[in-house]
Amino acid sequence: QTVVTQEPSFSVSPGGTVTLTCGLTSGSVSTNDYASWFQQIPGQTPRSLIYSTTTRSSGVPDRFSGSLLGNKAALTITGAQADDESDYYCALYMGSGIWVFGGGSRLTVL
Amino acid sequence: EVHLVESGGGLVQPGGSLRLSCTASGFTYRSYWMSWVRQAPGKGLEWVAYIKHDGTDKKYVDSVKGRAIISRDNADNALYLQMNSLTIEDTAVYYCVRVGGDYSLDHWGQGTLVTVSS
């Protein structure tokens, strides 16, 4: 069974930089996993931030960037703002129409 | 503008059934794969099912296999999820999601809440 891992929580100071990661319990994440990142403010619908590892979705500020970092996918927020405080989920495409989400990371900006 | 509107959620007893619907607008619906993603109260996101643009391929998460059927009507721009033998663990907000380029889950509906309880 494929398990996608994320850090449960993170904190960052306003204006700071934070990197969230998305890994696999067995194996490495590669571009072939088409990693996606989503932001979900509590009580709201998830919003696509990044897809295909590095591509920003329409309307997403460039302070959000995606990359591969070692054997994981990564979401970096540069110049964090108060309204970036949210839950962040990654998803990996396993092929054949199957996706697996990570457990989510709660980001606190303080 | 892409618009996805779910309906059909509600309170259902364990062992019961429910059919969720999603109406799509603002894009050429028949050209896109579609998915359902759910979120249990206070929990994370879980991909549930996918259907190819022409309905010829479908996949399900293991926890709903044999109990769920995803379908679509391209003439009516509609997506469906039939859920049977519901358990308490199926309680969640169910989101209708468009699959865009490079397997992106790019547009989400507002969700419909399914509560399984006696």
Side-chain angles (χ1 to χ4, degrees), chain A residues 34 36 38 40 44-48 51-52 55 57 89 91 93 96-103, chain B residues 33 35 37 39 43-47 50 57 59 95 99 101-106 108-111:
Chain A
Y34 295 90
S36 295
F38 305 88
Q40 186 181 34
Q44 296 189 17
T45 295
R47 167 199 181 196
S48 176
Y51 64 95
S52 195
T55 306
S57 295
Y89 294 93
Y93 180 64
S96 302
I98 297 169
W99 286 258
V100 179
F101 281 90
Chain B
W33 296 8
S35 266
V37 175
Q39 186 170 35
K43 302 296 184 184
L45 300 172
E46 179 181 42
W47 170 80
Y50 125 94
D57 189 40
K59 293 290 192 307
Y95 295 102
V99 182
D102 283 343
Y103 312 108
S104 59
L105 303 172
D106 64 356
W108 297 59
Q110 288 300 305

Side-chain angles (χ1 to χ4, degrees), chain B residues 2-5 22-27 29 34 76-79 96:
Chain B
V2 174
H3 210 46
L4 300 167
V5 179
C22 169
T23 300
S25 61
F27 64 102
Y29 177 72
M34 297 294 294
D76 284 342
N77 286 6
L79 178 72
C96 168

Side-chain angles (χ1 to χ4, degrees), chain B residues 46-62:
Chain B
E46 179 181 42
W47 170 80
V48 175
Y50 125 94
I51 185 168
K52 202 173 178 182
H53 63 284
D54 57 4
T56 59
D57 189 40
K58 307 173 186 181
K59 293 290 192 307
Y60 303 91
V61 69
D62 284 349

